[in-house]
Amino acid sequence: LPDVSLFAADGAHSAYWALCSDSTTDGATGSPYTECKDGSLQNGIGGAGGTSAAAPAFAGMLALIAQSQGGARLGQANYVLYQIAKSHASAFHDIATANNSVPCATGSPNCGTNGFLKGYDAVTGYDTATGLGSVDLSALISAWSSVSLAATTTTLKINGSSAAYTGVHGQSLTFNVGVNPTSASGNVAIVDTANMTAGGTLNNGQLSIPLSGGTGTATYNGLPGGTYTVTARYGGDTSNASSTSSPAIPVTISPEASTTTLTVNAYDGQTGQAKSLSSATSNDFILLDAQVLGAAEGNNTQGIATGTVTFSNGSTQLGTATLDSGNNLASWPPLSSKFQFLNAGTYSIKASYSGDPSYNASTSNTISFTVAAPATGISLTNSGSITVARGATTGNTAKITVQPSGGFTGSVNLTCAVSTSITSPSSLPTCAVTTPVTITGTTAATATLTVTTTAASAALTRPLEQFLLGGGATLAMLLFFGVPARRRAWRTMLSVLAILVIGGAIGCSSSGGGGSKSTGTTPGAYTVTVTGTDAATGKITATTAVSVTVN
């Protein structure tokens, strides 16, 4: 339920908080830059909306209120807010119009026929859309100390005593709290002064004990290592003020034994998919993970291990990683950097934890495995699909890349073939690819693929060509060879003339006086498959398919 309402627009309609940040990262280049540099807007101005802006803004207001109260803890601020609303209503600006409805997917719970969630309407006074309304900070500061709440006292005992406690991290402790008057309701937070980076998890009241009849009990085994003090903090309620136990209980927590567990995982260098470590090659990604836990509690460890983990292959150090506070896990190579190939060879990997105030140093189990050299081979890739018009040739953007692997060197012969799913296509495109390409090291080589199509044509076929390709030629030969030999010589010229005349007549007759025309390459989708074969043995092959669109 809302207590107060601050600006929480989502950025629509130019409604957002204007910000100048000194740690903005350019999305295109990844380079950091400063907004509003030198008091100007030359580097742009940032913006934020929603609760991401409203929540920290109100936190800043509460910090100013705490400062006005001599730095004292404020307890549950909403209890005081409602008291101020009763006696100093002008400290709030009521919001009496609009609602908190938002767009929703049709058919989802509480989604109206208008495509908006059935929300709550703002009305005069308190409502479930805007709470007490927006706030006047100056008025809140002036009225804060005027709120009349009953004074309370809070007590704390650890294992039944308020004396100093000395123990080992991971030991289970019993916390007993009490609040007077016993009618006080709510929760008591256990707060320590340990440095959060030392593994503290109770800081800022993260262990909460509910009250019943003014008392509460809880057990916890996560007091962080180090020497510091622990107190109990009651947050107050609508009638009772907050209070802190006194005196604070000194504690000294020594580190417990830890266990470091190592896992090694392999991922295919081409697909990124997990694969068996036993089949890993130097082309695959090898990821080392180490998790640090308390030896006594195992997976039930309370607290956060800090420090570093060093990964080694025998006596050779591979790298160091910092433990992640989210899961007590360290990874190498770091997840934020590029994966490395391990070279081919036999490995014996172990992880060594440095230790911190809560956990002693420890060394993991050793995992031995072999990274094989990849099989000698080649792979083909292309620069992507291409489009070519009928009657054109393209090759400027169709690049074929030949990538060696496993130490392959030598010449690679390239061939290409055209296929299509078009029914009865005419004039299939033709293809050509520069060949051979030569691999001299680990660097890939490139070749150019050319695709040529046929244009539509209305050109007529000439009668003589039809005649020579038709039966007219046969008839003319009969006329010529049917003449007796002794008369052929003087009739030679006449026979040739007859061939031309008769052939022309027959040709014109068969064509109806016209000719034929070409429709060119059928428009549509084609595939050009390029095959690479090593010139030395002819046994190492690879293919790649290029999509071609003819229009």
Side-chain angles (χ1 to χ4, degrees):
L1 295 177
D3 296 310
V4 296
S5 177
L6 291 185
F7 179 84
D10 61 1
H13 308 296
S14 300
Y16 56 83
W17 292 83
L19 304 174
C20 292
S21 173
D22 60 0
S23 59
T24 302
T25 300
D26 187 293
T29 65
S31 301
Y33 68 94
T34 300
E35 294 173 330
C36 317
K37 188 176 181 180
D38 301 325
S40 69
L41 300 182
Q42 64 177 2
N43 284 350
I45 187 169
T51 54
S52 297
F58 192 62
M61 293 180 183
L62 290 177
L64 293 175
I65 294 173
Q67 186 181 51
S68 72
Q69 304 301 307
R73 286 179 174 267
L74 301 180
Q76 289 287 359
N78 57 336
Y79 297 141
V80 180
L81 292 175
Y82 286 100
Q83 296 287 351
I84 293 177
K86 294 178 181 178
S87 58
H88 299 79
S90 61
F92 300 89
H93 301 300
D94 186 29
I95 300 173
T97 60
N99 54 56
N100 63 358
S101 180
V102 294
C104 57
T106 302
S108 61
N110 299 317
C111 187
T113 57
N114 61 351
F116 281 82
L117 193 68
K118 297 177 181 178
Y120 297 96
D121 293 326
V123 298
T124 301
Y126 178 87
D127 55 67
T128 51
T130 63
L132 296 170
S134 63
V135 300
D136 183 322
L137 177 59
S138 178
L140 283 180
I141 291 175
S142 299
W144 199 268
S145 59
S146 68
V147 174
S148 177
L149 296 173
T152 63
T153 57
T154 300
T155 59
L156 169 66
K157 291 184 178 181
I158 300 177
N159 288 348
S161 173
S162 57
Y165 171 80
T166 299
V168 177
H169 182 267
Q171 290 181 338
S172 184
L173 304 177
T174 299
F175 295 87
N176 298 101
V177 297
V179 177
N180 188 39
T182 59
S183 60
S185 61
N187 296 273
V188 174
I190 303 300
V191 181
D192 64 55
T193 59
N195 187 344
M196 192 66 169
T197 60
T201 58
L202 299 184
N203 305 67
N204 303 320
Q206 293 170 343
L207 175 64
S208 180
I209 302 176
L211 289 174
S212 177
T215 63
T217 301
T219 58
Y220 186 70
N221 65 346
L223 279 181
T227 299
Y228 49 89
T229 60
V230 176
T231 57
R233 174 69 181 177
Y234 172 58
D237 60 21
T238 56
S239 302
N240 299 286
S242 61
S243 59
T244 301
S245 63
S246 182
I249 298 178
V251 299
T252 299
I253 306 296
S254 58
E256 67 169 305
S258 69
T259 58
T260 299
T261 303
L262 172 68
T263 57
V264 181
N265 298 290
Y267 300 88
D268 187 278
Q270 295 294 323
T271 66
Q273 298 298 312
K275 62 180 297 183
S276 172
L277 182 61
S278 62
S279 62
T281 73
S282 57
N283 277 349
D284 296 326
F285 302 132
I286 308 296
L287 185 63
L288 313 180
D289 292 320
Q291 187 174 39
V292 178
L293 298 173
E297 313 99 275
N299 289 330
N300 294 320
T301 292
Q302 296 281 358
I304 301 171
T306 60
T308 60
V309 173
T310 300
F311 297 92
S312 302
N313 174 34
S315 60
T316 303
Q317 180 176 320
L318 296 176
T320 301
T322 302
L323 280 166
D324 187 324
S325 61
N327 51 18
N328 291 356
L329 190 71
S331 299
W332 186 89
L335 297 179
S336 59
S337 69
K338 292 182 178 179
F339 283 109
Q340 301 179 21
F341 298 140
L342 293 178
N343 295 326
T346 300
Y347 292 84
S348 294
I349 305 295
K350 65 180 179 181
S352 300
Y353 169 54
S354 62
D356 69 7
S358 296
Y359 301 94
N360 285 319
S362 59
T363 300
S364 74
N365 53 313
T366 298
I367 296 181
S368 299
F369 58 94
T370 299
V371 175
T376 300
I378 57 173
S379 61
L380 267 59
T381 58
N382 63 77
S383 57
S385 60
I386 58 177
T387 300
V388 57
R390 289 190 293 173
T393 299
T394 184
N396 295 332
T397 60
K399 298 296 182 182
I400 305 299
T401 300
V402 183
Q403 177 66 55
S405 62
F408 174 89
T409 58
S411 295
V412 177
N413 294 325
L414 298 174
T415 59
C416 63
V418 179
S419 61
T420 183
S421 59
I422 299 173
T423 303
S424 301
S426 66
S427 302
L428 279 174
T430 60
C431 66
V433 60
T434 52
T435 188
V437 296
T438 302
I439 303 295
T440 58
T442 60
T443 304
T446 59
T448 300
L449 172 67
T450 301
V451 178
T452 303
T453 61
T454 302
S457 174
L460 298 179
T461 304
R462 291 174 293 185
L464 177 58
E465 294 172 340
Q466 292 181 343
F467 169 73
L468 292 176
L469 295 175
T474 302
L475 177 59
M477 292 302 102
L478 289 175
L479 290 173
F480 178 74
F481 290 105
V483 177
R486 63 179 180 272
R487 298 182 180 180
R488 289 177 185 170
W490 65 269
R491 293 184 178 179
T492 298
M493 292 305 296
L494 181 61
S495 298
V496 172
L497 179 60
I499 291 173
L500 294 176
V501 172
I502 297 172
I506 296 174
C508 290
S509 174
S510 64
S511 65
S516 62
K517 63 180 180 179
S518 170
T519 59
T521 301
T522 304
Y526 296 81
T527 299
V528 177
T529 302
V530 179
T531 301
T533 306
D534 78 291
T537 68
K539 296 180 179 180
I540 301 175
T541 63
T543 63
T544 186
V546 180
S547 297
V548 177
T549 300
V550 177
N551 56 25

